[in-house]
Amino acid sequence: MINTKKIKKILHSIGESLYDLNWHNEDYGLLSGYFGSALFYAYYYKLTDQKKYLHRMNCIIEKTMNALAEKKLLLSHCSGVSGIAWAIQHLIKMDLIEQHTTENIFEEADKILADYMLHELSKRRYDFLHEGLGVMLYFLDKLPDAKAELYLKDAIAKLETAVVTTTSGKTWKDYSKSRRIRKCSATYNLGLSHGVPAILSILSVLHEKKIAPNKTLSLVENGVQWLLDTKNNADDKCISLYPTAVAKDNQLHEVKNSRLGWCYGDLSVAVALHNIGTRLKNDTYKQEALSIFDYTLKHRSKENGSILDTSLCHGSMGVSHIYRRAYSATADPIYLNGANQWLQQTLNMADDENMPIGFRYHTLNGYENNYSLLEGLTGIGLALIAVLDTHTIPDWDRCLLLS
């Protein structure tokens, strides 16, 4: 049984902590910084109907708009202008802010973001969080805007140019900054955060919206064919079904086992496959996704899934939210049960007196405070709101390609 009283208490504490912190935080990012808390207060307002949370949302927007006018910010989805712009569009669609209050700023920003997106993609920098791909999500949500459609068609052409054809299908090589710094050999990334599943997810939305439909369908179908072929062999007796990355011809480049989370691993692949299958009306993709979900429910745990905190990125609340979304899509109670089991894992961690509001983010240097959407309190709060508010679809998770 869900401990509603405890969740409400945690949400209240998160709401107060985020507001106190935001006036001292200079990271404006949607996923990495404080702007994600605008989404938290928007959905918390929908849950509670308390106007003070709507006021806090507006204060965050005002502070961010001032920063956009005065400072040179990053442009990425995770930490920069495109993520902020996506979130503002989302709040406009929720009827919580009026479009005319921001349209002047973003009329100027669109050309800058389009140039950045196309430049990054032309350099084969298509990391969803930090490079060109994430900007496509912003322009997707601007459709049917004519300029947005043109920008997206140009982006599709860049992605098509970068395709690598293999014996099992088509894919994209990982040229991300971290891999360039480490000077790794050719690698194909299997994470929804940085890799091929994100590219296929974005392309499937483009196909659904009938943007270059024939081209996007071909890219997605060949890409999914490649992705399915990266699955670990049963003879290897791995705990995970899919690795984190593969090298040429799907030979394992890194360890076979992957973590349990949004960013990488079996759930990352399953989410992408189910959403792609839904958009393309392809039951084969959806069935593979459900088989992965079922496997993880039976065989993955906090211990073998490397669950060390409660974050959305690769913590217990992210796992819980993914299963809750699977339940919403299928109405199968096993996913609701899985979501609630991982929710309880999260609430158990809240009893740690050494953590603010019971939650800290695990890093290589130990645990630290984190208030962001991706790795900290903002994301945990949004997922907890989704547990209680069964009348509001948690479409905020579109910023993580979860819907």
Side-chain angles (χ1 to χ4, degrees), residues 75 81 85 104-114 138-139:
L75 298 176
V81 176
N104 287 337
I105 289 179
F106 290 110
E107 277 181 12
E108 298 175 11
D110 280 6
K111 181 63 168 63
I112 296 171
L113 288 174
Y138 166 64
F139 286 118

Side-chain angles (χ1 to χ4, degrees), residues 4 13 34 56 71 73-74 78 91 103 188 219 227 236 259 271 328 333 339 351 363 394 401:
T4 301
S13 297
Y34 78 77
R56 291 180 181 185
K71 301 180 180 182
L73 304 182
L74 297 172
C78 179
L91 295 171
E103 58 188 6
Y188 303 91
L219 288 171
L227 180 62
D236 293 332
R259 71 190 317 155
V271 165
S328 297
D351 293 329
T363 72
L401 301 178

Side-chain angles (χ1 to χ4, degrees), residues 318-331:
V319 175
S320 176
H321 186 71
I322 287 171
Y323 286 134
R324 196 168 301 279
R325 277 307 225 164
Y327 170 69
S328 297
T330 64

